[in-house]
Amino acid sequence: MSKTITISPITRIEGHAKITIVLDEEFNVADARFHVNEFRGFEKFTEGRLLWEMPGITSRICGICPASHLVASAKAGDDILAVEIPETAEKLRRLLTLAQWLQSHALSFFHLSSPDLILGFDSNPATRNVFGLIAEDKEFAQRGIRLRKFGQEVIEILGGRRIHTPWTVPGGVREPLDPAKREQMLKWIPEAKETVKIAIDRLKKIHEKYAKEIPEFGNFKSLYVGLVTEDGGLEYYDGYIRIKDGNDNIIADKLNPKKYYEYFGEAVEPWSYLKFPYYKPLGYPNGIYRVGPLARVNICDFIETPLAEAERKIFKGLGGDVGVVNNSFYYHYARCIEMMFAIEKIEMLLNDPRILDTNIRSQASINRLQGVGCIEAPRGILFHHYHVNRDGVIQKVNLLIATAQNNIPMNRTVRQIASYFIEGKKGKISEGILNRIEAGIRCYDPCLSCSTHAIGQMPLEIRFETLDGKILDVIKR
Amino acid sequence: MKSVLVIGYGNTIHSDDAAGIHAVELISKRHPEFECICVHQLMPELAEAISKRDMVFFVDASAISNHVEVQEIQSSTFSNQSYTHFITPASLIALSLKVYGHKPRKAFIVGIPANRFDFGEEISEETKKEINRCVEIIEDLVNS
């Protein structure tokens, strides 16, 4: 009799989701699916609103990465106004984008993934969390909290403390940077660099500890998509789309992000509200691609800051002869490299005297009836595409978010881990194995955007079912 | 004078889900002496601000009550939970103690009845009344 195992909801990712693993009579994995059950309808909701409201509205999609939506939305507005924003405005937006990377990556690495990595996948689930981490290494946990706080403080300094303030607007930004605030931010830099150095050293030891398991942790070839600079460097705010394959070949380069819809299609499946984007020339599902830290560090030729570049070279070595790192476990390493880059680049931007210039906004009215804003959000490349009428009223919206673009790879990762740890092992499935499947998903740090929140705990429930729906077993944490 | 922190949280484009935010904005106008923080969701770094206050209120929308509910967070309810994207008020109190060595003398969860959570920036009339009631209750608790 075939069985279905459902893990619902997945813990320590943003939003609501569950995993179903379908096993045949021999306990071979017949299918594995990462479901997203929350339907948001956000794109429809924004129709009829004014273009200038969009940054403030779209930033409220998500409590984790509001600044990314804020900047992408403002860039779509720039395109519709057909303006080139002042140099200082771009620098300030870059600063905000990097602070968002830092804040979000710190949450992912220190709070969500470190309990698995440091305490161990088979450690007591009651203490495999941030509290267990504090008990194990209080300073490490404190550093993680402070690093996230640094990113959050930069966001608050630039945008104000009120949540989702639309400081970034079409044409530039609303307020220049106060010199005293610049000094306040610069004071964080030495501690932040030290924290990420410690994290990277710790992570390298974890790579040794899990050397046998890592090859089964979402290790497969796919395309990698992200932004690079004109000369091939790591980019996060502007630049061109580059696509590499799983053998380190550049298959497309210098693509204009504003024409994303020509390169990427979006398939749908009846069992998930999350779309399944793919690279059009290869079709669905062969056009599978990964975005986010792993993709960005894989596709770039260099990183412009020294500490991050030194780590990138070590990272590339993990790809061996292939030259590209195809294992999703190394999302964590790539994330740490990007944290270092973000800190170094924030320091560079703050030390640029032009960051204090007060020419920060270009004024214009509607000059185009559609526009695209594209940036690299923490989890990957993000597109905001708006159609407006001549009064600037939104007619149509399309948002292509990073988590959706990693949808096919997440499903493949679940299947690979499940196959390795479950296949043929009849009987009770241990909590540690189930947590490995969840940890496989957490490599991508998916953000399913909590639209509401809950007071109290959300139980983890695993169900064993037959194909006709009969429950064979239920495991709860 | 008591050192008070009031944290309102919720999504401001999901109608009454923003009740906690609206209540805390109202409190911040009436009581500039309080520290007031509005957030989309609770996050670990709030533990530092919490550790510095005598009295902390977590103000949120509630879908399970028809009147403002106040629940004092007792030490016995500190949850050692693993869901940090849904970090609970009790866990934040525990985090403030473990990481910063201090927790508030008193901490409360204040739930405001919410009627609708669909897309929109308007608060329902019923919830508006409860927001005002919530502010009065918090003032009474501070003054008691």
Side-chain angles (χ1 to χ4, degrees):
Chain A
M1 184 187 295
S2 298
K3 291 177 180 178
T4 301
I5 303 169
T6 302
I7 307 173
S8 174
I10 300 166
T11 59
R12 280 181 275 133
I13 61 170
E14 306 308 327
H16 305 268
K18 65 175 181 177
I19 291 172
T20 299
I21 301 155
V22 182
L23 302 175
D24 66 16
E25 292 172 2
E26 299 303 313
F27 258 57
N28 295 314
V29 177
D31 199 4
R33 289 172 176 173
F34 174 61
H35 308 247
V36 177
N37 298 316
E38 187 176 5
F39 178 65
R40 297 186 54 89
F42 191 86
E43 290 153 338
K44 200 75 188 163
F45 165 66
T46 52
E47 289 177 8
R49 305 299 291 255
L50 287 170
L51 172 69
W52 293 271
E53 293 181 279
M54 289 301 281
I57 297 172
T58 57
S59 67
R60 286 180 276 172
I61 290 172
C62 178
I64 303 298
C65 48
S68 299
H69 287 290
L70 197 62
V71 176
S73 180
K75 285 189 74 182
D78 298 341
D79 196 17
I80 288 170
L81 301 183
V83 293
E84 186 174 332
I85 69 169
E87 185 185 3
T88 298
E90 182 182 321
K91 288 180 189 299
L92 289 167
R93 284 186 186 178
R94 283 182 176 272
L95 196 58
L96 185 69
T97 305
L98 291 166
Q100 179 65 87
W101 272 26
L102 192 57
Q103 177 248 45
S104 177
H105 283 357
L107 181 73
S108 171
F109 183 75
F110 287 94
H111 301 290
L112 308 185
S113 293
S114 283
D116 292 333
L117 301 175
I118 290 175
L119 303 176
F121 295 110
D122 295 312
S123 63
N124 182 358
T127 54
R128 194 179 54 235
N129 51 45
V130 73
F131 296 95
L133 195 61
I134 291 166
E136 173 79 12
D137 189 339
K138 188 174 177 182
E139 191 200 338
F140 187 78
Q142 277 178 322
R143 279 184 172 277
I145 290 172
R146 283 183 59 77
L147 187 64
R148 195 183 131 78
K149 192 179 176 203
F150 170 41
Q152 189 62 29
E153 190 168 305
V154 174
I155 292 169
E156 286 177 5
I157 284 171
L158 296 175
R161 196 156 195 190
R162 193 183 185 285
I163 55 170
H164 309 317
T165 304
W167 169 76
T168 301
V169 289
V173 298
R174 284 189 195 277
E175 299 284 339
L177 181 60
D178 177 343
K181 298 290 184 186
R182 177 174 74 164
E183 297 309 310
Q184 185 182 334
M185 290 187 270
L186 278 168
K187 282 180 185 163
W188 279 94
I189 299 293
E191 180 190 331
K193 279 184 188 172
E194 184 63 23
T195 294
V196 177
K197 273 184 198 169
I198 290 168
I200 289 173
D201 289 345
R202 198 80 186 253
L203 189 56
K204 285 174 180 169
K205 288 177 186 156
I206 289 163
H207 290 166
E208 291 169 16
K209 182 179 171 185
Y210 292 108
K212 282 187 182 173
E213 291 191 22
I214 288 173
E216 308 301 328
F217 238 91
N219 190 14
F220 52 86
K221 289 182 179 176
S222 73
L223 303 179
Y224 296 96
V225 173
L227 294 174
V228 291
T229 60
E230 173 80 35
D231 52 354
L234 179 70
E235 177 56 269
Y236 54 98
Y237 175 82
D238 217 342
Y240 300 94
I241 294 173
R242 173 180 281 181
I243 304 175
K244 265 192 179 181
D245 68 13
N247 292 313
D248 211 23
N249 301 308
I250 295 175
I251 63 164
D253 205 6
K254 294 197 184 295
L255 301 178
N256 181 357
K258 290 180 182 175
K259 298 196 172 183
Y260 75 97
Y261 46 84
E262 292 181 3
Y263 326 130
F264 307 113
E266 292 179 85
V268 292
E269 293 283 2
W271 43 269
S272 178
Y273 278 124
L274 202 58
K275 295 171 190 169
F276 292 78
Y278 60 95
Y279 180 51
K280 275 185 180 174
L282 297 185
Y284 175 75
N286 292 334
I288 175 174
Y289 64 92
R290 279 178 271 192
V291 298
L294 187 76
R296 288 189 290 248
V297 181
N298 263 329
I299 63 167
C300 70
D301 299 327
F302 65 93
I303 298 176
E304 67 171 299
T305 62
L307 296 174
E309 173 62 3
E311 287 299 332
R312 186 196 69 86
K313 287 176 178 166
I314 298 168
F315 171 92
K316 288 294 279 185
L318 295 170
D321 295 337
V322 179
V324 66
V325 180
N326 281 307
N327 192 317
S328 294
F329 191 88
Y330 294 118
Y331 261 99
H332 299 303
Y333 189 16
R335 201 167 278 126
C336 287
I337 294 170
E338 287 193 339
M339 282 196 280
M340 185 60 86
F341 165 70
I343 297 162
E344 291 182 287
K345 188 69 187 172
I346 285 172
E347 185 179 26
M348 286 169 67
L349 285 165
L350 289 173
N351 282 324
D352 183 338
R354 290 168 293 182
I355 198 82
L356 298 175
D357 199 289
T358 53
N359 178 23
I360 50 169
R361 189 169 181 184
S362 303
Q363 300 285 353
S365 55
I366 304 299
N367 287 305
R368 294 188 186 122
L369 296 182
Q370 64 169 306
V372 174
C374 172
I375 64 155
E376 286 284 354
R379 291 158 187 82
I381 195 164
L382 169 69
F383 300 92
H384 279 220
H385 187 178
Y386 307 155
H387 294 256
V388 297
N389 67 14
R390 296 204 174 277
D391 296 320
V393 177
I394 297 288
Q395 306 295 299
K396 189 180 168 189
V397 168
N398 187 43
L399 308 180
L400 185 53
I401 62 166
T403 292
Q405 293 173 85
N406 275 332
N407 200 1
I408 305 174
M410 284 192 286
N411 278 277
R412 194 167 289 187
T413 297
V414 168
R415 184 167 184 159
Q416 187 180 50
I417 296 172
S419 297
Y420 181 74
F421 287 105
I422 296 175
E423 213 148 277
K425 294 171 183 150
K426 291 185 179 180
K428 202 127 182 150
I429 294 171
S430 76
E431 203 275 344
I433 293 170
L434 294 169
N435 195 55
R436 281 171 173 81
I437 293 167
E438 290 186 288
I441 292 291
R442 280 198 287 270
C443 290
Y444 298 85
D445 189 24
C447 179
L448 306 175
S449 299
C450 312
S451 56
T452 58
H453 42 269
I455 291 177
Q457 289 195 25
M458 211 166 36
L460 174 65
E461 185 176 283
I462 305 127
R463 285 188 175 204
F464 297 77
E465 294 179 358
T466 62
L467 277 180
D468 56 2
K470 184 183 171 191
I471 297 171
L472 298 172
D473 198 2
V474 177
I475 302 172
K476 288 183 180 176
R477 269 188 196 152
Chain B
M1 187 190 292
K2 285 172 189 165
S3 163
V4 178
L5 169 64
V6 192
I7 300 170
Y9 53 107
N11 190 328
T12 53
I13 52 171
H14 277 272
S15 308
D16 291 351
D17 193 49
I21 304 274
H22 286 269
V24 173
E25 286 179 340
L26 196 54
I27 289 168
S28 72
K29 286 177 190 158
R30 290 168 61 145
H31 297 280
E33 73 276 20
F34 295 174
E35 183 181 8
C36 293
I37 299 175
C38 292
V39 289
H40 190 112
Q41 61 200 72
L42 299 178
M43 280 291 148
E45 63 270 18
L46 287 169
E48 188 177 359
I50 290 165
S51 73
K52 293 174 180 169
R53 300 291 173 178
D54 298 328
M55 193 174 234
V56 175
F57 295 90
F58 297 89
V59 189
D60 189 15
S62 169
I64 55 171
S65 173
N66 55 11
H67 60 277
V68 177
E69 277 193 346
V70 178
Q71 179 194 344
E72 184 165 0
I73 301 172
Q74 304 289 346
S75 57
S76 59
T77 64
F78 288 3
S79 72
N80 190 15
Q81 47 110 39
S82 62
Y83 314 107
T84 47
H85 71 286
F86 280 132
I87 194 162
T88 63
S91 295
L92 273 173
I93 300 291
L95 201 58
S96 75
L97 183 61
K98 285 206 171 191
V99 176
Y100 300 102
H102 185 261
K103 68 180 178 68
R105 194 171 46 80
K106 293 234 176 224
F108 301 91
I109 298 169
V110 185
I112 303 170
N115 298 288
R116 41 186 293 242
F117 292 91
D118 48 337
F119 280 115
E121 292 169 302
E122 290 295 314
I123 301 287
S124 67
E125 287 305 316
E126 299 92 325
T127 297
K128 276 182 190 168
K129 288 175 195 161
E130 298 295 339
I131 287 172
N132 291 326
R133 177 78 188 121
C134 164
V135 173
E136 291 167 6
I137 288 172
I138 289 173
E139 288 172 338
D140 289 346
L141 284 165
V142 171
N143 294 327
S144 64

